[in-house]
Amino acid sequence: MLWNAILLALREIRRNIMRSSLTALGIIIGVAAVIIMVTLGSGATAKVTKQISSLGSNMLLIRPGQGMHGPGGRQSTASAFKVEDAEAIARDISGLEAVAPSATQSMQAIYGNENWSTTAVGTTNAYLEVRDWPIEKGRRFSKSELHGGKAVCILGSTVGNKLFGGQDPLNATIRLKKLSFRVIGLLKTKGQSTFGTDRDDIALIPLRTLHRRITGNTNVSVIYVSVLDGVSIEMAKKDIERLMRERRHISQREDDDFNVMDMREIVKILSGTTRVLTGLLGAVAAVSLLVGGIGIMNIMLVSVTERTREIGIRLALGALEREVLLQFLVEAVVLSSLGGIIGIMFALTTSLVLSKVLLVPFIFNIGIVFISFIFSVAVGIIFGYFPARKAARLDPIEALRHE
Amino acid sequence: MKAISKISGRPLIEIKDVSKVYGQGQAVMHALRGINLQITNGDFVAVMGPSGSGKSTCLNILGCLDTPTLGTYLFMGIDVGKLTRNQRALLRRHYLGFVFQNYNLLKRTSSIENVELPLIYRGLPAAERHAYSLNALKAVGLKGWEHHTAGELSGGQQQRVAIARAIVTEPTVLLADEPTGNLDSERSRETIELLARFNRDKGITIVMVTHETDMASYAKRSINFIDGLIVNDKLQETS
């Protein structure tokens, strides 16, 4: 009986190609929307996670102020760190790979006729290690340059390109805040950050140079710390917090006036956010799949009315109620699963193209493909059932008389 | 005057005091007012009468599409009034064939697929189905028209496809509701002769509703309905 129903259903579908394709269209769009949204969404999640871990997932960021504690924090009143704080961390806490104190100042960089506004970061060679940032050309700071506060700089690739174009910047002299600096190195391109800022728009100078010649104080705005592989980041974080509370004379009852941020927290937060967004988009797309299902029901209901005579003929020829029901149900299921398959193929090609255009990795998620196929078949069964039952229950005499 | 069963034993169709009432209260309509009728195997009955006289209702009941309000209808000894919808569908599938005034072929469907339809419901395998259908189309003179759809055929041809569909299952009874109503006199004559031939050669019992006396003259017996009652039931010489 099922075989007969399939045969009859396929004949009806073939006979009414236009109606059939319109019915399937709703499901095609619904399934395609779900898969495209989820595929691109998980691609974006993967991209964000990868970008953040490129910041260094074993990195801790220590900043004065309460950081992410919202309004009422003590950001403004918290005193800055000093170089000694970084030295104390490096000396007293075990399991650290590198500790890089840094202070930043935005300034104009000038070379010949070119000028570019950038950020100067006063730091040490440890900065390159913590941020896992190799030198493309040239060299790091020498010991004497660091200790003597010499006017030398290492440029990020953006600054290098803006000032020098295609020329070799090494050993050239540029001006930063009215001072002449010799370019000793060029950093490897790191690309945009997750937040859309250009990480290569930077000029590194020795911390002591920044303190002595530019800011005139010995403040450190951020201390970057990288933890050795295999050492617990939580432990290092706790140790640093204890040490800093001691050094900053914070009593038991007081909150920290500094903040140790774990990069993995940010990874968690951001990938969590994109995952939520993906889920949201998927839900929106699922609604469109539902709408597609209702579309199937509409067309099937209309087609029951339109096909009343046909149903009457079938019933007169001796079709059983359940045979008519099954035929209509199979028609709906065939259309919706066909729509599902076409939708899946359409979605995969589209998301392949879109992921190239949007520069996110193409992540083939067999789960969502499977789920949306099952869903489209379910839509066919659920929304095909009522029209099918209506058709099966028609009175043959009335149906035959129908114009 | 009384029709007498030519074959011994039970008549094929036995209608006893059958009434059919539509509607309720003020709008009540008596389509049949207690009719009695027996039809034996191999008969060819023409049912005549003005519109609304109950002849179509009678045919629907004979075809197991409808059930009597009162009285009993025995088809091959089975009380059809006591059957479920699906059991009546099975009776139609296995013993009855239908020919309608407006052909009632499936639209956009080839002749052969139309003729195959009752065989599909009977569950015949594809090869047999195909062979029987080709034979039936040949028998109605439509060899070579197997793959034309209803829209590509003339009225007479469509009615012949419908007849092929009705006889392909070799039914016990063929019920025809004004089969020549939409055809010109030439096509009508061909159609009725076709029916008469299946009655004569294959012994298919035919009950045919018609308005036209010259069509009725092909039948072995004619019955007249007026106001839900049988007023005349006579055997006649066939031409």
Side-chain angles (χ1 to χ4, degrees):
Chain A
M1 194 168 94
L2 182 65
W3 179 242
N4 273 348
I6 292 171
L7 173 77
L8 294 170
L10 289 181
R11 281 188 179 180
E12 276 309 311
I13 289 169
R14 201 190 54 208
R15 221 166 268 152
N16 299 288
I17 272 304
M18 188 65 180
R19 186 178 69 203
S20 308
S21 32
L22 283 176
T23 310
L25 192 63
I27 292 294
I28 294 176
I29 292 172
V31 166
V34 169
I35 296 178
I36 291 172
M37 299 265 188
V38 171
T39 305
L40 292 183
S42 37
T45 309
K47 189 186 182 184
V48 166
T49 312
K50 190 166 158 258
Q51 274 182 342
I52 295 170
S53 49
S54 78
L55 290 173
S57 56
N58 59 343
M59 185 166 89
L60 293 173
L61 255 155
I62 309 156
R63 292 188 299 190
Q66 284 178 322
M68 314 215 270
H69 285 226
R74 291 165 64 188
Q75 185 97 40
S76 51
T77 56
S79 56
F81 295 127
K82 297 291 175 195
V83 179
E84 292 72 32
D85 291 317
E87 284 167 2
I89 291 170
R91 188 179 59 237
D92 295 347
I93 291 166
S94 57
L96 302 186
E97 184 183 38
V99 178
S102 76
T104 56
Q105 180 101 28
S106 58
M107 52 184 71
Q108 289 285 327
I110 300 163
Y111 176 72
N113 293 327
E114 304 296 331
N115 102 46
W116 182 251
S117 167
T118 186
T119 307
V121 177
T123 186
T124 63
N125 284 327
Y127 184 84
L128 301 174
E129 269 140 45
V130 176
R131 303 210 53 184
D132 192 19
W133 204 343
I135 300 249
E136 169 97 46
K137 239 191 215 174
R139 59 172 177 84
R140 300 170 157 218
F141 299 119
S142 71
K143 243 182 191 149
S144 66
E145 282 163 351
L146 287 168
H147 286 290
K150 297 276 168 54
V152 291
C153 65
I154 303 172
L155 299 181
S157 62
T158 301
V159 181
N161 286 337
K162 292 292 177 189
L163 293 186
F164 294 94
Q167 282 174 267
D168 183 11
L170 285 187
N171 294 317
T173 305
I174 64 166
R175 292 176 72 79
L176 289 170
K177 263 228 167 133
K178 295 176 186 164
L179 292 168
S180 293
F181 281 79
R182 192 159 60 85
V183 180
I184 59 163
L186 195 63
L187 291 167
K188 215 173 163 101
T189 304
K190 223 171 160 72
Q192 267 191 2
S193 78
T194 321
F195 314 100
T197 53
D198 183 1
R199 289 183 289 183
D200 298 307
D201 190 2
I202 196 171
L204 302 184
I205 58 176
L207 182 61
R208 190 158 285 179
T209 314
L210 184 85
H211 283 156
R212 280 193 192 156
R213 303 205 184 178
I214 296 170
T215 61
N217 58 32
T218 54
N219 290 349
V220 167
S221 52
V222 182
I223 302 172
Y224 293 88
V225 170
S226 67
V227 180
L228 280 171
D229 281 345
V231 173
S232 157
I233 292 176
E234 275 76 31
M235 283 291 285
K237 191 176 164 184
K238 286 221 175 66
D239 291 343
I240 292 170
E241 277 167 354
R242 200 176 330 107
L243 178 69
M244 294 312 284
R245 281 180 78 89
E246 207 175 284
R247 288 182 64 82
R248 291 165 83 84
H249 311 292
I250 299 169
S251 70
Q252 288 278 312
R253 277 169 295 147
E254 277 176 301
D255 285 334
D256 292 350
D257 66 349
F258 63 93
N259 169 269
V260 182
M261 204 162 46
D262 179 352
M263 288 318 283
R264 291 183 315 173
E265 278 171 26
I266 303 183
V267 173
K268 251 184 249 158
I269 291 165
L270 275 173
S271 59
T273 309
T274 47
R275 215 170 290 138
V276 166
L277 274 174
T278 306
L280 198 70
L281 289 175
V284 170
V287 169
S288 70
L289 192 54
L290 196 70
V291 171
I294 292 169
I296 280 206
M297 181 158 74
N298 272 332
I299 295 187
M300 294 301 287
L301 276 172
V302 168
S303 95
V304 167
T305 314
E306 188 192 283
R307 292 162 67 184
T308 300
R309 181 89 75 90
E310 174 206 324
I311 295 158
I313 295 168
R314 292 181 187 281
L315 291 169
L317 293 181
L320 299 178
E321 225 171 277
R322 62 170 181 273
E323 285 172 321
V324 173
L325 182 111
L326 204 60
Q327 182 194 330
F328 271 74
L329 208 53
V330 169
E331 277 183 39
V333 171
V334 165
L335 285 179
S336 57
S337 44
L338 220 75
I341 291 169
I342 295 171
I344 287 167
M345 294 192 299
F346 175 73
L348 291 182
T349 42
T350 307
S351 35
L352 201 59
V353 171
L354 277 180
S355 62
K356 290 256 161 59
V357 174
L358 299 173
L359 300 172
V360 297
F362 173 75
I363 293 172
F364 178 73
N365 186 340
I366 187 75
I368 196 68
V369 169
F370 189 69
I371 287 170
S372 27
F373 182 72
I374 293 296
F375 196 79
S376 59
V377 173
V379 156
I381 292 174
I382 293 163
F383 293 108
Y385 179 75
F386 296 100
R389 198 182 61 169
K390 193 184 166 201
R393 290 192 176 172
L394 285 176
D395 174 18
I397 299 169
E398 290 293 320
L400 281 170
R401 227 176 266 154
H402 189 89
E403 284 308 313
Chain B
M1 287 288 283
K2 265 241 158 90
I4 294 150
S5 178
K6 284 176 193 161
I7 306 164
S8 59
R10 265 212 133 102
L12 181 66
I13 285 170
E14 237 180 318
I15 280 185
K16 291 182 200 159
D17 302 322
V18 162
S19 299
K20 182 72 190 179
V21 181
Y22 292 112
Q24 284 177 332
Q26 294 285 315
V28 73
M29 213 271 284
H30 293 271
L32 294 175
R33 299 165 187 269
I35 60 164
N36 285 285
L37 179 65
Q38 297 195 344
I39 298 170
T40 50
N41 206 354
D43 212 344
F44 185 173
V45 183
V47 178
M48 303 193 59
S51 304
S53 60
K55 56 188 194 308
S56 286
T57 306
C58 181
L59 200 74
N60 285 339
I61 289 176
L62 288 178
C64 303
L65 291 167
D66 211 344
T67 49
T69 313
L70 285 172
T72 50
Y73 165 35
L74 299 177
F75 178 73
M76 303 197 319
I78 303 162
D79 189 347
V80 175
K82 292 207 169 82
L83 299 180
T84 63
R85 215 177 115 111
N86 277 334
Q87 287 171 325
R88 282 186 278 128
L90 289 173
L91 274 188
R92 291 198 292 275
R93 175 186 297 187
H94 291 286
Y95 302 104
L96 300 171
F98 290 89
V99 174
F100 304 93
Q101 178 177 2
N102 49 10
Y103 329 128
N104 274 336
L105 298 176
L106 295 186
K107 280 182 263 176
R108 295 187 285 273
T109 305
S110 66
S111 313
I112 187 123
E113 285 189 1
N114 264 298
V115 176
E116 270 186 331
L117 199 56
L119 298 177
I120 291 178
Y121 287 119
R122 278 199 180 186
L124 257 68
E128 272 180 63
R129 223 159 56 204
H130 198 71
Y132 280 122
S133 306
L134 281 177
N135 261 338
L137 281 169
K138 206 168 123 195
V140 298
L142 283 177
K143 192 167 192 275
W145 294 87
E146 291 87 355
H147 298 289
H148 290 70
T149 63
E152 297 163 351
L153 299 171
S154 70
Q157 286 172 318
Q158 288 186 54
Q159 193 58 298
R160 280 190 276 159
V161 173
I163 292 171
R165 183 181 64 189
I167 56 106
V168 72
T169 58
E170 307 211 333
T172 311
V173 180
L174 190 153
L175 299 157
D177 194 356
E178 301 197 35
T180 60
N182 285 2
L183 303 176
D184 61 37
S185 55
E186 185 61 18
R187 255 22 84 192
S188 296
R189 203 180 48 74
E190 283 173 17
T191 305
I192 207 85
E193 278 173 0
L194 205 54
L195 290 177
R197 207 182 79 211
F198 286 121
N199 172 252
R200 195 172 57 235
D201 299 351
K202 304 211 175 209
I204 296 174
T205 307
I206 296 180
V207 180
M208 173 180 74
V209 166
T210 183
H211 271 122
E212 298 150 274
T213 38
D214 47 339
M215 294 303 127
S217 69
Y218 283 85
K220 295 173 181 168
R221 176 182 169 192
S222 85
I223 295 171
N224 267 69
F225 273 81
I226 289 179
D227 286 339
L229 288 167
I230 294 174
V231 295
N232 193 3
D233 184 348
K234 62 171 194 279
L235 296 176
Q236 53 188 26
E237 286 301 310
T238 51
S239 40

Coordinates of all heavy atoms in Angstrom, one line a residue, chain A residues 4 7-8 11 14-16 309-310 313-321 323 327 392-397 400, chain B residues 60 65-66 85-86 89-90 92-93 98 100 102 104-109 113 116-118 120-121 123 129 165:
Chain A
N4 N 2.2 1.8 -3.4 CA 1.2 2.4 -4.3 C 1.1 3.9 -4.0 O 1.0 4.7 -5.0 CB -0.2 1.7 -4.0 CG -0.4 0.5 -4.9 OD1 0.4 0.2 -5.8 ND2 -1.4 -0.3 -4.6
L7 N 3.9 5.7 -5.6 CA 3.7 5.7 -7.0 C 2.7 6.8 -7.4 O 3.0 7.7 -8.2 CB 3.2 4.4 -7.5 CG 2.8 4.3 -9.0 CD1 4.1 4.2 -9.8 CD2 2.0 3.1 -9.2
L8 N 1.6 6.8 -6.7 CA 0.5 7.8 -7.1 C 1.0 9.2 -6.7 O 0.7 10.1 -7.5 CB -0.8 7.4 -6.3 CG -1.4 6.1 -6.7 CD1 -2.5 5.7 -5.8 CD2 -2.0 6.2 -8.2
R11 N 3.4 10.5 -9.3 CA 2.7 10.8 -10.5 C 2.1 12.2 -10.4 O 2.1 13.0 -11.3 CB 1.7 9.8 -10.9 CG 2.2 8.5 -11.5 CD 1.1 7.6 -12.0 NE 1.7 6.4 -12.6 CZ 1.0 5.4 -13.1 NH1 -0.3 5.5 -13.1 NH2 1.6 4.4 -13.7
R14 N 4.7 15.0 -10.5 CA 5.3 15.2 -11.8 C 4.3 15.9 -12.7 O 4.6 16.7 -13.5 CB 5.6 13.8 -12.4 CG 6.6 13.8 -13.5 CD 6.7 12.5 -14.2 NE 5.3 12.0 -14.6 CZ 4.9 10.8 -14.7 NH1 5.8 9.8 -14.4 NH2 3.7 10.4 -15.1
R15 N 3.0 15.6 -12.5 CA 1.9 16.1 -13.3 C 1.8 17.6 -13.0 O 1.3 18.4 -13.9 CB 0.6 15.4 -12.9 CG -0.2 15.1 -14.0 CD -1.3 14.1 -13.6 NE -0.8 12.7 -13.7 CZ -1.2 11.7 -13.0 NH1 -2.0 11.9 -11.9 NH2 -0.8 10.5 -13.2
N16 N 2.1 18.0 -11.8 CA 1.9 19.4 -11.4 C 3.2 20.1 -11.0 O 3.3 20.5 -9.8 CB 0.8 19.5 -10.3 CG -0.5 18.9 -10.7 OD1 -1.2 19.5 -11.5 ND2 -0.8 17.7 -10.2
R309 N -12.4 16.8 -7.2 CA -12.9 15.9 -8.1 C -12.0 14.6 -8.3 O -12.5 13.5 -8.3 CB -13.0 16.6 -9.5 CG -13.6 15.7 -10.6 CD -15.1 15.8 -10.7 NE -15.5 17.0 -11.3 CZ -15.6 17.2 -12.6 NH1 -15.5 16.2 -13.4 NH2 -16.0 18.4 -13.1
E310 N -10.7 14.9 -8.3 CA -9.7 13.8 -8.5 C -9.9 12.9 -7.3 O -9.9 11.6 -7.5 CB -8.3 14.4 -8.5 CG -7.2 13.3 -8.4 CD -5.9 13.8 -7.8 OE1 -5.5 15.0 -8.1 OE2 -5.3 13.0 -7.1
I313 N -12.9 10.8 -7.7 CA -12.7 9.7 -8.7 C -12.0 8.5 -8.0 O -12.4 7.4 -8.2 CB -11.9 10.2 -9.9 CG1 -12.6 11.3 -10.7 CG2 -11.5 9.0 -10.8 CD1 -11.8 12.0 -11.7
R314 N -10.9 8.9 -7.3 CA -10.2 7.8 -6.6 C -11.1 7.0 -5.6 O -11.0 5.8 -5.6 CB -9.0 8.4 -5.8 CG -7.9 9.0 -6.7 CD -6.8 9.6 -5.9 NE -5.8 10.3 -6.8 CZ -4.9 9.7 -7.6 NH1 -4.9 8.4 -7.6 NH2 -4.2 10.3 -8.4
L315 N -11.9 7.8 -4.9 CA -12.7 7.1 -3.9 C -13.7 6.2 -4.6 O -14.0 5.1 -4.2 CB -13.4 8.1 -3.0 CG -12.5 8.9 -2.0 CD1 -13.3 10.0 -1.4 CD2 -12.0 7.9 -1.0
A316 N -14.3 6.7 -5.7 CA -15.3 5.9 -6.5 C -14.7 4.7 -7.1 O -15.3 3.6 -7.1 CB -15.9 6.8 -7.6
L317 N -13.4 4.8 -7.5 CA -12.7 3.6 -8.0 C -12.3 2.6 -6.9 O -11.7 1.6 -7.2 CB -11.5 4.0 -8.8 CG -11.8 4.8 -10.1 CD1 -10.5 5.2 -10.8 CD2 -12.7 4.1 -11.0
G318 N -12.6 2.9 -5.7 CA -12.3 2.0 -4.6 C -11.1 2.3 -3.8 O -10.6 1.4 -3.1
A319 N -10.6 3.5 -3.8 CA -9.5 3.9 -2.9 C -10.0 3.9 -1.5 O -11.1 4.5 -1.3 CB -8.9 5.2 -3.3
L320 N -9.2 3.4 -0.6 CA -9.6 3.4 0.8 C -9.3 4.8 1.4 O -8.4 5.5 0.8 CB -8.9 2.4 1.6 CG -9.2 0.9 1.2 CD1 -8.4 0.0 2.1 CD2 -10.7 0.6 1.4
E321 N -9.9 5.2 2.5 CA -9.6 6.4 3.1 C -8.2 6.6 3.4 O -7.5 7.6 3.1 CB -10.4 6.5 4.4 CG -11.1 7.8 4.7 CD -12.0 7.6 5.9 OE1 -13.1 7.1 5.8 OE2 -11.5 8.0 7.0
E323 N -5.7 5.1 2.0 CA -4.9 5.2 0.8 C -4.8 6.6 0.3 O -3.7 7.1 -0.1 CB -5.4 4.3 -0.3 CG -5.1 2.8 0.0 CD -5.8 1.9 -0.9 OE1 -7.0 2.1 -1.3 OE2 -5.2 0.9 -1.3
Q327 N -1.5 8.9 0.3 CA -1.0 9.5 -1.0 C -0.7 11.0 -0.7 O 0.4 11.5 -1.1 CB -2.0 9.4 -2.1 CG -1.5 10.0 -3.4 CD -2.6 10.2 -4.4 OE1 -3.6 9.4 -4.5 NE2 -2.4 11.2 -5.2
A392 N -9.1 12.7 2.6 CA -9.5 11.3 2.7 C -10.9 11.2 3.2 O -11.6 10.3 3.0 CB -8.6 10.6 3.7
R393 N -11.4 12.3 4.0 CA -12.7 12.2 4.5 C -13.8 12.8 3.6 O -15.0 12.9 4.0 CB -12.7 13.0 5.9 CG -11.9 12.2 6.9 CD -12.1 12.7 8.3 NE -11.4 11.9 9.2 CZ -11.3 12.2 10.5 NH1 -11.9 13.3 11.0 NH2 -10.7 11.4 11.3
L394 N -13.4 13.2 2.4 CA -14.5 13.8 1.5 C -15.5 12.7 1.2 O -15.2 11.5 1.1 CB -13.8 14.2 0.2 CG -13.0 15.5 0.3 CD1 -12.3 15.7 -1.1 CD2 -13.9 16.7 0.6
D395 N -16.7 13.2 1.0 CA -17.8 12.3 0.6 C -17.6 12.1 -1.0 O -17.6 13.1 -1.7 CB -19.1 12.9 0.9 CG -20.3 12.1 0.3 OD1 -20.1 10.9 0.0 OD2 -21.4 12.7 0.2
P396 N -17.5 10.9 -1.4 CA -17.2 10.7 -2.9 C -18.3 11.3 -3.8 O -17.9 11.8 -4.8 CB -17.2 9.1 -3.0 CG -17.7 8.6 -1.7 CD -17.5 9.6 -0.7
I397 N -19.6 11.2 -3.4 CA -20.6 11.8 -4.2 C -20.4 13.3 -4.4 O -20.4 13.9 -5.5 CB -22.0 11.4 -3.7 CG1 -22.2 9.9 -3.6 CG2 -23.1 12.1 -4.5 CD1 -23.4 9.5 -2.9
L400 N -17.4 14.1 -6.4 CA -17.5 13.9 -7.9 C -18.3 15.0 -8.5 O -18.1 15.4 -9.7 CB -18.2 12.6 -8.1 CG -17.3 11.4 -8.0 CD1 -18.1 10.1 -8.1 CD2 -16.3 11.4 -9.2
Chain B
N60 N -26.4 5.9 -7.1 CA -25.4 6.0 -6.1 C -25.5 4.9 -5.0 O -24.5 4.4 -4.5 CB -25.5 7.4 -5.4 CG -25.0 8.5 -6.3 OD1 -24.2 8.3 -7.2 ND2 -25.5 9.7 -6.1
L65 N -21.9 4.1 -3.2 CA -21.3 5.4 -2.8 C -22.2 6.0 -1.7 O -21.8 6.9 -1.0 CB -21.3 6.3 -4.1 CG -20.4 5.9 -5.2 CD1 -20.7 6.7 -6.5 CD2 -18.9 6.2 -4.8
D66 N -23.4 5.5 -1.7 CA -24.4 6.1 -0.7 C -25.1 4.9 -0.1 O -25.1 3.8 -0.6 CB -25.4 7.0 -1.5 CG -25.9 8.1 -0.6 OD1 -25.7 8.0 0.7 OD2 -26.5 9.1 -1.1
R85 N -17.5 2.6 5.6 CA -17.1 3.3 4.4 C -16.0 2.6 3.6 O -16.0 2.4 2.4 CB -16.5 4.6 4.9 CG -16.7 5.8 4.0 CD -16.1 7.0 4.7 NE -15.0 7.5 3.9 CZ -15.1 8.7 3.2 NH1 -16.1 9.5 3.3 NH2 -14.1 9.1 2.5
N86 N -15.0 2.0 4.4 CA -13.9 1.3 3.7 C -14.4 0.0 3.1 O -13.9 -0.4 2.1 CB -12.8 1.1 4.7 CG -11.9 2.3 4.9 OD1 -11.8 3.1 3.9 ND2 -11.3 2.5 6.0
A89 N -15.9 0.8 0.0 CA -14.8 1.1 -1.0 C -14.2 -0.2 -1.6 O -14.0 -0.3 -2.8 CB -13.7 1.9 -0.4
L90 N -14.1 -1.2 -0.8 CA -13.5 -2.5 -1.3 C -14.5 -3.1 -2.2 O -14.1 -3.8 -3.2 CB -13.2 -3.4 -0.1 CG -12.0 -2.9 0.7 CD1 -11.8 -3.8 2.0 CD2 -10.7 -3.0 -0.1
R92 N -16.6 -1.6 -4.2 CA -16.4 -0.8 -5.4 C -15.2 -1.3 -6.2 O -15.2 -1.5 -7.4 CB -16.3 0.7 -5.2 CG -17.6 1.3 -4.7 CD -17.6 2.8 -4.8 NE -16.6 3.5 -4.0 CZ -16.8 3.9 -2.7 NH1 -18.0 3.6 -2.1 NH2 -15.9 4.5 -2.0
R93 N -14.1 -1.4 -5.4 CA -12.8 -1.8 -6.0 C -12.9 -3.1 -6.7 O -12.4 -3.3 -7.8 CB -11.8 -1.8 -4.9 CG -10.4 -2.3 -5.4 CD -9.5 -2.5 -4.2 NE -9.2 -1.2 -3.5 CZ -8.3 -1.1 -2.6 NH1 -7.6 -2.1 -2.2 NH2 -8.1 0.1 -2.0
F98 N -17.5 2.3 -12.9 CA -18.3 3.5 -13.0 C -18.0 4.3 -14.3 O -16.8 4.4 -14.7 CB -18.0 4.5 -11.9 CG -18.6 4.1 -10.6 CD1 -17.8 3.3 -9.7 CD2 -19.9 4.4 -10.2 CE1 -18.3 2.9 -8.5 CE2 -20.4 4.0 -9.0 CZ -19.6 3.2 -8.1
F100 N -19.1 8.0 -16.0 CA -19.9 9.2 -15.7 C -20.2 10.1 -16.9 O -19.5 9.9 -17.9 CB -19.1 10.1 -14.7 CG -18.7 9.4 -13.5 CD1 -17.4 8.7 -13.4 CD2 -19.5 9.3 -12.4 CE1 -17.1 8.0 -12.2 CE2 -19.1 8.6 -11.2 CZ -17.9 8.0 -11.1
N102 N -19.6 13.3 -17.2 CA -18.5 14.2 -17.6 C -17.2 13.4 -17.5 O -16.2 14.0 -17.2 CB -18.5 15.4 -16.7 CG -18.7 15.0 -15.2 OD1 -18.6 13.8 -14.9 ND2 -18.9 15.9 -14.3
N104 N -15.0 12.2 -16.0 CA -14.2 12.1 -14.7 C -12.8 11.4 -14.9 O -12.5 10.5 -14.1 CB -15.0 11.5 -13.6 CG -15.8 12.5 -12.9 OD1 -15.5 13.7 -12.9 ND2 -16.9 12.0 -12.3
L105 N -12.1 11.8 -15.9 CA -10.7 11.3 -16.0 C -9.8 12.2 -15.2 O -10.2 13.4 -15.0 CB -10.3 11.3 -17.5 CG -11.1 10.4 -18.4 CD1 -10.6 10.6 -19.8 CD2 -11.0 9.0 -18.0
L106 N -8.6 11.7 -14.8 CA -7.7 12.6 -14.1 C -7.1 13.6 -15.2 O -6.7 13.2 -16.2 CB -6.6 11.8 -13.5 CG -7.0 10.9 -12.3 CD1 -5.7 10.2 -11.7 CD2 -7.8 11.6 -11.3
K107 N -7.0 14.8 -14.8 CA -6.5 15.8 -15.7 C -5.0 15.6 -15.9 O -4.3 15.1 -15.1 CB -6.7 17.2 -15.0 CG -8.1 17.8 -15.2 CD -8.2 19.2 -14.6 CE -8.7 19.1 -13.2 NZ -8.7 20.4 -12.5
R108 N -4.5 16.1 -17.0 CA -3.1 16.0 -17.4 C -2.5 14.6 -17.2 O -1.3 14.5 -16.9 CB -2.3 17.0 -16.5 CG -2.7 18.5 -16.8 CD -1.7 19.4 -16.0 NE -2.0 19.4 -14.6 CZ -2.9 20.3 -14.1 NH1 -3.5 21.1 -14.8 NH2 -3.1 20.2 -12.8
T109 N -3.4 13.6 -17.3 CA -2.9 12.3 -17.1 C -3.2 11.5 -18.4 O -4.2 11.6 -19.0 CB -3.7 11.7 -15.9 OG1 -3.5 12.5 -14.8 CG2 -3.2 10.3 -15.6
E113 N -2.5 5.8 -18.0 CA -2.4 5.9 -16.5 C -3.8 6.0 -15.9 O -4.0 5.6 -14.8 CB -1.6 7.2 -16.1 CG -0.1 6.9 -16.3 CD 0.8 8.0 -15.8 OE1 0.3 9.0 -15.2 OE2 2.0 7.9 -15.9
E116 N -5.1 2.5 -15.8 CA -4.4 1.7 -14.8 C -4.9 2.0 -13.3 O -4.7 1.1 -12.5 CB -2.9 2.2 -14.8 CG -2.0 1.4 -15.7 CD -0.6 1.8 -15.5 OE1 -0.3 3.0 -15.1 OE2 0.3 1.0 -15.8
L117 N -5.4 3.2 -13.1 CA -5.7 3.6 -11.7 C -6.4 2.5 -10.9 O -6.0 2.2 -9.8 CB -6.5 4.9 -11.8 CG -6.5 5.7 -10.5 CD1 -5.1 6.0 -10.0 CD2 -7.3 7.0 -10.8
P118 N -7.6 2.0 -11.4 CA -8.2 1.0 -10.5 C -7.4 -0.3 -10.3 O -7.5 -0.9 -9.2 CB -9.5 0.6 -11.3 CG -9.3 1.1 -12.7 CD -8.3 2.2 -12.6
I120 N -4.1 -0.2 -9.9 CA -3.2 0.2 -8.9 C -3.8 -0.1 -7.5 O -3.2 -0.7 -6.6 CB -2.8 1.6 -9.0 CG1 -1.9 1.8 -10.2 CG2 -2.0 2.1 -7.7 CD1 -1.5 3.2 -10.5
Y121 N -5.1 0.3 -7.4 CA -5.8 0.1 -6.1 C -6.0 -1.3 -5.8 O -6.1 -1.7 -4.7 CB -7.1 0.9 -6.0 CG -6.8 2.4 -5.9 CD1 -7.2 3.3 -6.8 CD2 -6.1 2.9 -4.8 CE1 -7.0 4.7 -6.7 CE2 -5.8 4.2 -4.6 CZ -6.2 5.1 -5.6 OH -6.0 6.5 -5.5
G123 N -3.8 -3.4 -6.5 CA -2.5 -3.9 -6.1 C -1.9 -4.9 -7.1 O -1.1 -5.7 -6.8
R129 N -0.5 -4.7 -14.9 CA -1.4 -3.5 -15.0 C -1.3 -3.0 -16.4 O -2.3 -2.6 -17.0 CB -0.7 -2.5 -14.1 CG -1.7 -1.8 -13.2 CD -1.0 -1.2 -12.0 NE 0.1 -0.4 -12.4 CZ 1.1 -0.2 -11.5 NH1 1.1 -0.7 -10.4 NH2 2.1 0.6 -11.9
R165 N -11.4 2.3 -18.4 CA -11.1 2.3 -17.0 C -12.1 1.5 -16.2 O -11.7 0.8 -15.2 CB -11.0 3.7 -16.5 CG -10.6 3.8 -15.0 CD -10.6 5.3 -14.5 NE -11.9 5.9 -14.6 CZ -12.2 7.1 -14.4 NH1 -11.2 8.0 -14.1 NH2 -13.4 7.6 -14.4

